[in-house]
Amino acid sequence: MIDEKKINEVTKERERWEETTLQRWVAQRPERKSEFRNHSDMLIKRLYTPEDIKDLDYMQDLGFPGEYPFTRGVHATMYRGRLWTMRQFSGYGTAEQTNRRFKYLLKEGETGLSIAFDYPTITGYDSDHPFAKGEVGVCGVTVASLKDMETLLDGIPLDKVTTSMTINGPAAMLLAMYVAVGDKQGVPRIKLGGTTQNDMLKEFFAQKLCIFPPKQSLKLVTDIIEYCTRNLPKWNPISISGYHIREAGANALQELAFTLYDGITYVESSLERGLSVDEFAPRLSFFFASHNNLFEEIAKFRAARRLWAKIMKERFHAKKPRSMWMRMHVQTSGCTLTAQQPLINIIRTTIQALAAVLGGTQSLHTNSFDEALCLPTKEAVRVALRTQQIIAYESGAADTMDPLAGSYYIESLTNEMEERAMDYIQKIDDMGGAIAAIENGFFQREIADSAYRYQRETDEKERIIVGVNEYATGEEVPIPILRIDPKVEMEQVARLQRLRRERDNRKVEEVLGRLHYAAEKDENLMPIIIEAVKSYATLGEICDVLRKVYGEHKELIVI
Amino acid sequence: MLAGNRRSIARAITIIENDNTETQKLIASVYSHTGKAHIIGLTGPPGSGKSTLIEKIIREYRRKDKTVGVIAVDPTSPFTGGAFLGDRIRMQELSTDQGVFIRSMATRNYLGGIAKATKDAAKVLDAAGKDIVIVETVGAGQSEVEIIKVAKTIVVICAPGLGDEIQAIKAGIMEIGDIFVVNKADRENADKAVMDIEAILQLNNKERAWKPPVLKTVALTGEGVPQLIEKIEEHNRFLEKELERKRSREKAEAELVEAIKEKMATSIIEELRSKGKFEEFLQKILEKKIDPASAAEKLLKERFGKHIRKG
Amino acid sequence: MQRGKKIRVLVAKPGLDSHDRGAKIIARALRDAGMEVIYTGLRQTPQQIVETALQEDVDVIGLSILSGAHKTLFPRIIELLKQKDLTDVLVVAGGIIPEEDIPEMKKLGIKEIFGPGTPTDEIVQFVLKNTSKRA
């Protein structure tokens, strides 16, 4: 990008500067550490200069927003045209309580819904199952049947609001319920917009909320991709996730590489199903974390876009530009927030949110400062929302696209992220793919090792966490925490039992029988699951049918 | 413990693990109650699906109303002295079944070796009334070969696609395995793996009375497990027959010797009586001129003396 | 390597909570400190946890939970431990347990609760110190 002669001059001058000015300075005051490394274990230089980007080719490596390789953004105007969606993940207690929280957030300015389900729902158990005891509504909203979904979305116009559902194992069932509610509201299916997370691969080595074994899970994921491609053109059938991988202990590079590889696997699975790449690829979406190291995260987001674009073009021969773009949702990191001095978490979240915006995300969730203590209170979640609004309207960060492009540091870091991620991708290819890597524990080992290293660094104060291993105050200012009333469980169980009495049980039995048959014949199960939810079969009942056919997953432990 | 009280069984195994003077006393006191359980050893390389298979095996035995004890052995770190015992995770659903007792043991640094400790723990489970005792190891070290010999029936598990399947089975195990299982048999190279193992077994085991079979299983679905159990029981019956055979032989031998002794004595005494020699020496005994043992010696020397000299 | 008694620890994840990063780190740290660690994976019921503790004759049970369901699950576990006569086992817990719940949990019989940010060594030392009596 810069001509050779000028670079050599800079090199010469830099060397002079190192031997003179720098030398004198360091002699008086040595640097704080002998080495500075980021979380991905990359060596961070004290200074980046034009030398570091001498091979940068603007058109090839950066290009323009809205065009291949999309490094600078997936849309041509980015936030100048439309701000990112402020989408706060929420849900707790009963469907009715969460419905109220949704309406509150929409009123306060959030622009899309994101549903957090409770553990029994996520793991496919009804609220009165023995496993559900003590867990109903406790860390998300409980949805055991279409009736609950109807209550949850009551008064929310599904043709105007898009909804993200963080659901994986029973994604098909919950998507079916959403479609059923849309049908009832009279919204044409082609207008329904939203996302189902539906990313089973990462469940097997990161979030661990699996129901069925890997192959069968991948089959269900592909069913949803196929169904949406044909019937729900505005729906993102999958949100290929790195967030959970990162929270489980991986570093930024591993998050990037493993997420992209999962994406590769889903594309392959969809191609095997008979879909053509340009049919489904435009609706694939991604979900990343954003941690404290501002520049590492920005580089990660940019490298992700560029690398995915290349993969789609070169590995999968996509033709449409939209098949190569990577749209992402970002959530600020939960595991970096502390229980100690919780108010300072607002600062961490702000930095993380800024990284996501400077990194070009399409949608953002900011954590509440009480994250390490409980579910967010109303006040805490409002502050989180305001964080995004201040960045959007007061900081100027949204006024130009990809503002850090051309920075010697950022471009250098972006390149390094991309290269190293490609090494990982090659490695997993050599292992035989994602499922083989899951079965031999590769991802799990990488994550466990990273997590352990992080902990040791913290214990040994190589890594400072303000308020925890440094600047700890000891005395805590109590902040209000959100509690779930145990009555929630009792009421939900009563509601569920009443549902089972009042519905047409013959119809339920008949539909479930057909589901069993269809599952054995390996058909796309979405249509019949929609029928099943409309008959008010419960989530647990539907999942149990598939448990019988597919079996249940047992995790491989790697510490 | 003998009554099957689970806390006592657990405590008893801890005594064995503690490897001190109490251990010996414990073993001595339960010894008379052992010998009833069928001890099965299960070994195989990581990735063979061994743990999943064991869970299915236990379920199958439970279906047949047998009680099962399991000892899962894992290595102790030579650097830290600690151990990560994660084998029972695949069997966890069975932990609340009162007919199943699962215990994880680390190899530690036993004076008598881990094999002896495992054997003693197996004795405890045997004495406590378990019909079946399964000993599970990883099969990746020399001590593993020793551990597995604790068992009466040794089952070796491998899976296709683990690299070189045969190399994966530690040397030494090949020779002592009684039943070989190719798990994950729904995979492509399953039949080839079976053939490879059968070929090596043919070479090695020409002398053995029991020809180790090679079975196929799919642990995830349970396919092949009933047949595996049947083979294990067949082996058990074979061993019992072998034992029976040995005992029969010993018994017959004893009986023959007895019979010979009896027949011989009877005919010799008859002869001595008819020749009057018997009465002659009897008188001398009554007159206290000679004792019965010396009398017998003299009689026999007289009777057989020439033969002996000739012989 | 010494012979004889080792400290045996059960690291358990009760309920549906699937966050196992912390539990696995503790398991590893305890092993590195010379203990025998039994980790039984996710989704353990109170019955499974207590049965395992009994069969493995553990000295310590470490419960890890981040879902908020501790108020239901911990009392159940303690009750079962009492029933099975395992009251001499040291029980500790970690994860996300609000400050205000701690006194109640301790009254149940949980010796210590380790919140987020606790250095691993602190936990290891606590276990070492509190198990020396139960020889």
Side-chain angles (χ1 to χ4, degrees):
Chain A
M1 185 134 111
I2 308 165
D3 79 73
E4 185 127 14
K5 218 178 84 194
K6 288 227 162 100
I7 295 286
N8 291 336
E9 231 179 273
V10 172
T11 308
K12 229 180 70 200
E13 287 301 310
R14 182 186 41 80
E15 284 167 359
R16 180 205 48 77
W17 169 77
E18 280 170 0
E19 284 154 27
T20 57
T21 315
L22 178 66
Q23 175 92 271
R24 279 198 299 269
W25 200 267
V26 169
Q28 286 229 6
R29 177 179 306 176
E31 289 186 325
R32 289 181 289 120
K33 291 197 255 197
S34 58
E35 250 185 23
F36 285 77
R37 284 183 177 274
N38 65 13
H39 193 198
S40 306
D41 207 28
M42 296 171 184
L43 193 60
I44 306 301
K45 301 206 280 198
R46 70 167 58 86
L47 188 72
Y48 289 80
T49 70
E51 302 163 273
D52 295 294
I53 60 166
K54 68 180 195 307
D55 294 325
L56 193 71
D57 177 324
Y58 185 83
M59 284 316 298
Q60 195 165 292
D61 300 327
L62 299 182
F64 293 97
E67 284 181 4
Y68 184 89
F70 299 103
T71 318
R72 305 200 68 181
V74 292
H75 297 131
T77 53
M78 286 302 286
Y79 308 136
R80 285 169 65 112
R82 196 180 68 163
L83 289 172
W84 63 90
T85 307
M86 301 186 190
R87 196 186 286 284
Q88 296 294 93
F89 187 46
S90 35
Y92 60 94
T94 60
E96 204 197 313
Q97 279 174 291
T98 302
N99 178 264
R100 273 183 269 134
R101 177 58 74 93
F102 283 167
K103 289 175 170 148
Y104 169 73
L105 287 168
L106 288 170
K107 189 169 69 79
E108 291 295 332
E110 115 169 321
T111 41
L113 294 179
S114 173
I115 310 179
F117 298 101
D118 69 359
Y119 268 118
T121 308
I122 303 176
T123 46
Y125 293 111
D126 284 340
S127 325
D128 55 354
H129 188 279
F131 265 141
K133 206 139 184 44
E135 314 249 21
V136 176
V138 175
C139 55
V141 65
T142 194
V143 174
S145 73
L146 176 58
K147 198 136 195 86
D148 292 332
M149 187 61 96
E150 285 164 350
T151 310
L152 184 62
L153 299 171
D154 179 59
I156 295 181
L158 296 190
D159 54 347
K160 300 216 173 53
V161 172
T162 57
T163 306
S164 171
M165 294 197 281
T166 299
I167 191 81
N168 295 282
M173 295 82 189
L174 279 120
L175 176 59
M177 290 181 199
Y178 194 90
V179 169
V181 174
D183 285 350
K184 232 183 187 166
Q185 282 186 7
V187 178
R189 288 186 184 180
I190 54 170
K191 285 185 114 189
L192 285 178
T195 306
T196 26
Q197 193 168 90
N198 187 33
D199 169 2
M200 283 311 299
L201 289 173
K202 62 104 167 57
E203 295 302 326
F204 290 106
F205 59 87
Q207 186 161 240
K208 308 283 180 73
L209 294 169
C210 322
I211 308 179
F212 319 111
K215 283 208 204 78
Q216 292 83 345
S217 299
L218 188 55
K219 187 254 176 203
L220 280 176
V221 168
T222 316
D223 276 359
I224 293 175
I225 296 177
E226 186 183 38
Y227 184 81
C228 292
T229 304
R230 304 249 178 274
N231 301 286
L232 303 174
K234 282 187 70 187
W235 194 269
N236 303 311
I238 187 170
S239 177
I240 305 162
S241 307
Y243 180 84
H244 318 80
I245 300 174
R246 191 71 183 273
E247 292 287 290
N251 60 38
L253 170 63
Q254 291 164 331
E255 178 195 352
L256 175 63
F258 297 170
T259 308
L260 288 180
Y261 205 93
D262 287 348
I264 289 172
T265 310
Y266 293 126
V267 172
E268 285 173 350
S269 182
S270 305
L271 292 174
E272 276 167 32
R273 189 60 76 91
L275 300 166
S276 78
V277 71
D278 287 314
E279 270 188 290
F280 66 88
R283 279 269 163 224
L284 300 175
S285 69
F286 287 79
F287 173 30
F288 291 107
S290 187
H291 276 225
N292 291 339
N293 190 320
L294 183 70
F295 301 112
E296 184 178 16
E297 297 300 315
I298 295 170
K300 179 189 80 186
F301 297 129
R302 298 170 89 245
R305 272 195 299 275
R306 186 163 71 203
L307 192 45
W308 183 249
K310 287 186 186 167
I311 289 170
M312 289 312 285
K313 182 164 193 206
E314 293 163 19
R315 185 167 174 148
F316 294 113
H317 313 293
K319 296 282 182 305
K320 284 185 2 204
R322 289 191 170 203
S323 300
M324 305 180 231
W325 73 4
M326 171 193 266
R327 296 164 309 131
M328 63 174 84
H329 168 76
V330 172
Q331 175 165 338
T332 60
S333 158
C335 68
T336 52
L337 301 186
T338 58
Q340 295 80 349
Q341 302 176 48
L343 288 179
I344 67 180
N345 288 326
I346 298 173
I347 303 153
R348 296 189 173 104
T349 302
T350 307
I351 295 173
Q352 295 164 358
L354 187 61
V357 169
L358 294 174
T361 188
Q362 278 54 63
S363 154
L364 180 61
H365 161 101
T366 31
N367 283 333
S368 303
F369 62 80
D370 48 5
E371 168 75 23
L373 299 170
C374 57
L375 293 180
T377 58
K378 259 174 113 170
E379 296 67 33
V381 77
R382 190 172 50 201
V383 170
L385 196 49
R386 298 286 178 259
T387 305
Q388 295 194 45
Q389 290 159 342
I390 289 180
I391 291 175
Y393 298 110
E394 295 183 19
S395 77
D399 296 351
T400 187
M401 299 187 278
D402 194 29
L404 295 177
S407 147
Y408 313 129
Y409 182 30
I410 287 289
E411 295 303 352
S412 180
L413 211 52
T414 306
N415 288 345
E416 196 173 348
M417 274 279 171
E418 185 187 342
E419 267 169 45
R420 292 203 188 194
M422 290 212 34
D423 287 342
Y424 261 119
I425 290 175
Q426 183 62 56
K427 199 169 181 175
I428 303 167
D429 268 343
D430 292 341
M431 265 181 232
I435 294 199
I438 289 169
E439 286 178 352
N440 74 35
F442 171 72
F443 296 119
Q444 297 90 317
R445 233 179 334 266
E446 291 273 317
I447 292 171
D449 286 346
S450 267
Y452 198 65
R453 226 187 84 208
Y454 188 99
Q455 185 63 42
R456 287 249 57 89
E457 285 169 1
T458 307
D459 287 343
E460 282 152 28
K461 288 207 182 179
E462 253 179 65
R463 171 186 300 281
I464 301 295
I465 301 180
V466 175
V468 174
N469 61 7
E470 201 65 79
Y471 308 113
T473 57
E475 39 108 343
E476 288 305 325
V477 179
I479 58 168
I481 62 175
L482 179 69
R483 290 283 200 176
I484 303 302
D485 191 342
K487 261 193 344 181
V488 162
E489 182 169 332
M490 279 184 340
E491 286 172 9
Q492 174 66 8
V493 170
R495 233 190 321 267
L496 196 54
Q497 290 172 345
R498 191 169 57 237
L499 176 84
R500 290 209 193 95
R501 279 195 308 268
E502 293 176 356
R503 67 189 179 183
D504 182 351
N505 281 297
R506 249 179 342 127
K507 192 145 181 274
V508 170
E509 218 185 294
E510 188 261 330
V511 152
L512 292 180
R514 277 190 289 129
L515 173 63
H516 188 119
Y517 185 62
E520 284 184 333
K521 290 210 354 243
D522 241 13
E523 293 173 10
N524 187 318
L525 297 179
M526 274 309 295
I528 190 155
I529 293 178
I530 293 176
E531 264 194 76
V533 305
K534 285 189 173 180
S535 77
Y536 292 97
T538 66
L539 179 64
E541 286 164 352
I542 301 173
C543 288
D544 281 344
V545 171
L546 297 184
R547 283 187 178 103
K548 278 209 198 74
V549 180
Y550 295 150
E552 283 182 83
H553 174 70
K554 295 268 167 67
E555 69 169 303
L556 171 73
I557 302 283
V558 178
I559 64 149
Chain B
M1 181 212 91
L2 294 172
N5 176 287
R6 286 154 88 72
R7 187 98 210 268
S8 308
I9 296 174
R11 278 277 159 84
I13 297 181
T14 303
I15 290 176
I16 289 168
E17 285 179 337
N18 292 345
D19 197 23
N20 50 31
T21 50
E22 269 189 70
T23 310
Q24 261 317 106
K25 279 194 264 169
L26 175 70
I27 295 300
S29 66
V30 304
Y31 193 72
S32 54
H33 299 270
T34 64
K36 293 166 280 152
H38 185 191
I39 304 181
I40 304 170
L42 261 138
T43 187
S48 53
K50 181 169 50 83
S51 300
T52 313
L53 189 60
I54 290 179
E55 202 249 358
K56 290 293 193 300
I57 290 173
I58 299 173
R59 285 191 190 275
E60 187 61 27
Y61 273 120
R62 289 299 291 138
R63 261 186 358 99
K64 298 179 162 209
D65 234 348
K66 303 271 182 166
T67 55
V68 183
V70 182
I71 300 167
V73 184
D74 271 311
T76 296
S77 159
F79 304 113
T80 66
F84 182 70
L85 308 175
D87 287 331
R88 72 178 295 147
I89 196 180
R90 296 292 177 137
M91 307 177 237
Q92 261 311 81
E93 267 175 47
L94 295 165
S95 57
T96 47
D97 179 342
Q98 296 297 302
V100 179
F101 190 101
I102 303 169
R103 176 66 174 242
S104 313
M105 285 180 72
T107 53
R108 291 198 189 177
N109 186 19
Y110 291 98
L111 206 53
I114 179 63
K116 177 167 184 307
T118 310
K119 192 171 193 151
D120 289 342
K123 284 198 188 111
V124 167
L125 290 168
D126 182 354
K130 300 283 168 274
D131 300 313
I132 309 286
V133 175
I134 298 178
V135 175
E136 177 195 352
T137 77
V138 173
Q142 216 19 62
S143 64
E144 269 59 38
V145 180
E146 292 311 308
I147 295 171
I148 220 68
K149 283 190 192 164
V150 158
K152 285 195 217 157
T153 303
I154 296 174
V155 179
V156 183
I157 304 170
C158 68
L162 285 183
D164 189 343
E165 286 83 53
I166 312 309
Q167 283 301 100
I169 304 176
K170 196 72 188 175
I173 298 278
M174 247 358 234
E175 278 90 54
I176 60 174
D178 297 307
I179 299 172
F180 289 80
V181 176
V182 172
N183 188 32
K184 303 193 183 179
D186 50 346
R187 295 222 176 140
E188 269 184 34
N189 313 325
D191 288 325
K192 180 176 180 301
V194 171
M195 287 198 306
D196 287 345
I197 297 174
E198 279 175 343
I200 298 206
L201 288 175
Q202 282 236 6
L203 288 173
N204 285 347
N205 293 306
K206 293 212 176 93
E207 311 305 316
R208 288 176 71 173
W210 167 265
K211 302 284 182 224
V214 184
L215 305 175
K216 289 201 284 196
T217 59
V218 181
L220 277 179
T221 59
E223 217 179 296
V225 174
Q227 292 82 339
L228 173 58
I229 303 292
E230 247 188 72
K231 263 297 171 233
I232 294 174
E233 313 233 287
E234 205 186 299
H235 186 248
N236 194 20
R237 285 194 298 274
F238 167 83
L239 288 174
E240 278 175 2
K241 254 214 246 114
E242 274 292 293
L243 199 61
E244 256 311 298
R245 221 175 40 79
K246 228 168 73 182
R247 281 203 199 114
S248 301
R249 196 190 146 82
E250 283 166 18
K251 186 156 165 261
E253 201 179 308
E255 281 174 6
L256 181 59
V257 166
E258 265 316 300
I260 292 174
K261 279 189 198 167
E262 208 219 291
K263 290 244 171 333
M264 249 181 63
T266 316
S267 74
I268 291 171
I269 290 170
E270 246 183 62
E271 202 190 295
L272 291 171
R273 271 198 210 268
S274 64
K275 291 212 176 124
K277 285 284 174 182
F278 191 87
E279 191 56 43
E280 192 189 311
F281 273 81
L282 189 58
Q283 277 306 320
K284 288 195 185 153
I285 292 170
L286 286 170
E287 286 161 17
K288 302 268 188 223
K289 289 201 183 136
I290 190 172
D291 67 282
S294 311
E297 215 190 296
K298 274 202 156 173
L299 275 169
L300 290 170
K301 217 170 169 184
E302 244 185 65
R303 171 71 181 70
F304 293 110
K306 290 184 264 165
H307 295 269
I308 292 173
R309 257 182 268 124
K310 273 194 192 149
Chain C
M1 219 190 329
Q2 307 168 306
R3 285 195 300 115
K5 181 113 183 64
K6 299 264 181 178
I7 302 174
R8 286 169 69 90
V9 184
L10 169 61
V11 173
K13 291 227 35 96
L16 297 175
D17 169 31
S18 71
H19 298 89
D20 60 0
R21 174 177 176 170
K24 284 157 81 169
I25 288 175
I26 297 297
R28 198 156 155 171
L30 294 173
R31 182 207 51 197
D32 289 347
M35 306 184 206
E36 291 178 352
V37 182
I38 294 130
Y39 176 60
T40 44
L42 300 171
R43 293 204 209 159
Q44 298 298 292
T45 61
Q47 292 86 340
Q48 285 170 336
I49 293 173
V50 173
E51 265 301 322
T52 303
L54 189 150
Q55 291 171 34
E56 299 286 355
D57 200 19
V58 300
D59 303 294
V60 188
I61 298 173
L63 301 168
S64 159
I65 193 162
L66 288 84
S67 61
H70 55 279
K71 292 195 90 164
T72 310
L73 295 170
F74 286 8
R76 186 83 187 106
I77 293 170
I78 299 290
E79 189 194 316
L80 286 173
L81 285 173
K82 281 205 184 86
Q83 270 179 35
K84 298 276 180 173
D85 201 23
L86 289 169
T87 48
D88 54 348
V89 177
L90 172 69
V91 183
V92 296
I96 301 209
I97 296 160
E99 195 82 31
E100 27 184 88
D101 292 350
I102 292 182
E104 192 188 326
M105 297 294 122
K106 282 193 169 169
K107 225 161 80 195
L108 277 179
I110 298 176
K111 196 84 193 283
E112 190 56 85
I113 313 264
F114 299 105
T118 309
T120 356
D121 281 338
E122 194 181 306
I123 302 175
V124 172
Q125 289 311 314
F126 185 88
V127 171
L128 286 171
K129 222 169 69 189
N130 286 276
T131 47
S132 53
K133 316 165 194 159
R134 189 185 179 260

